[in-house]
Amino acid sequence: MDTPSAPDSAPPPAGDRREFLTKAAAIAIGGAITAVPPIAGLCVFLDPLRREASAGASVLVASLSALTEGGEPRKFPVLADKVDAWNRATNVPVGAVYLQRLKDNKIRALNVVCPHAGCFVDFRPAQNKYHCPCHDSSFGLDGAILDPKSPSPRPLDELPVEIRKGTEVWVTFQNFRAGEHKKIPV
Ligand code: FES
């Protein structure tokens, strides 16, 4: 009489199961370990970009003599060296600012970018205010929102200014995220 054979679906012996699980764990751990260097390398590779994006740089923007005390704001380009992981360029436009000379050689610097959606604001001398042509936000000389219906969520972004050697106007230039109530550097 024939002895009945074990069905095909019978579980493998305990020794085989242990060996299978050991191999599976080794493959998973090995895969995780080999993935770490490429990920770490990618972070290092992109790091210069992250650093450049978050740090404002002090830039020589104008001569003090170009500004009249109590005069209207004047727009100046901001030129700076741009270095990232792949390129290096010197004196390239990175933005623009309005400078206004107040009393006692105090200079006010406002980023020309509208905080609503990133258009460039104009200065309107006849109305003594800044105006954004995109959605009609309006700002006073100090950058404050004038019209409560302005869609801009915050005033124009004021930037730190330093006078060096008595004549040089240096601005710590920085762009900020549009559409936010707080100034979040980008
Ligand atoms: S971008 Fe200036 S009001 Fe919308």
Side-chain angles (χ1 to χ4, degrees):
M1 196 167 127
D2 290 345
T3 315
S5 58
D8 288 349
S9 59
D16 288 354
R17 267 207 314 276
R18 259 200 308 279
E19 192 183 335
F20 170 77
L21 290 174
T22 306
K23 278 184 183 167
I27 289 168
I29 292 169
I33 289 171
T34 48
V36 168
I39 291 169
L42 190 62
C43 290
V44 170
F45 188 57
L46 294 176
D47 188 52
L49 293 181
R50 287 191 290 124
R51 262 188 277 127
E52 191 196 33
S54 60
S58 195
V59 181
L60 173 60
V61 172
S63 162
L64 194 57
S65 60
L67 301 163
T68 310
E69 187 173 302
E72 290 174 355
R74 283 190 60 196
K75 186 155 96 174
F76 293 87
V78 176
L79 306 176
D81 294 346
K82 243 185 154 179
V83 181
D84 61 32
W86 303 283
N87 300 299
R88 175 181 200 96
T90 53
N91 261 357
V92 293
V94 293
V97 290
Y98 281 104
L99 298 181
Q100 188 182 22
R101 185 168 171 177
L102 311 172
K103 283 186 184 161
D104 303 325
N105 282 349
K106 188 175 173 346
I107 307 291
R108 179 189 288 133
L110 299 173
N111 196 323
V112 300
V113 175
C114 177
H116 177 227
C119 294
F120 280 14
V121 298
D122 303 321
F123 177 66
R124 293 189 165 174
Q127 293 144 348
N128 223 20
K129 70 175 188 183
Y130 297 99
H131 174 259
C132 180
C134 290
H135 312 100
D136 286 334
S137 282
S138 58
F139 308 90
L141 288 178
D142 60 354
I145 294 172
L146 283 184
D147 183 350
K149 288 192 219 124
S150 292
S152 179
R154 61 174 191 269
L156 291 176
D157 296 317
E158 186 160 1
L159 301 168
V161 180
E162 192 187 341
I163 307 291
R164 296 186 190 170
K165 300 178 188 168
T167 57
E168 297 175 352
V169 182
W170 289 71
V171 175
T172 304
F173 185 73
Q174 178 73 66
N175 284 310
F176 299 90
R177 199 178 294 169
E180 303 280 350
H181 285 88
K182 285 187 178 171
K183 288 168 74 173
I184 302 171
V186 293

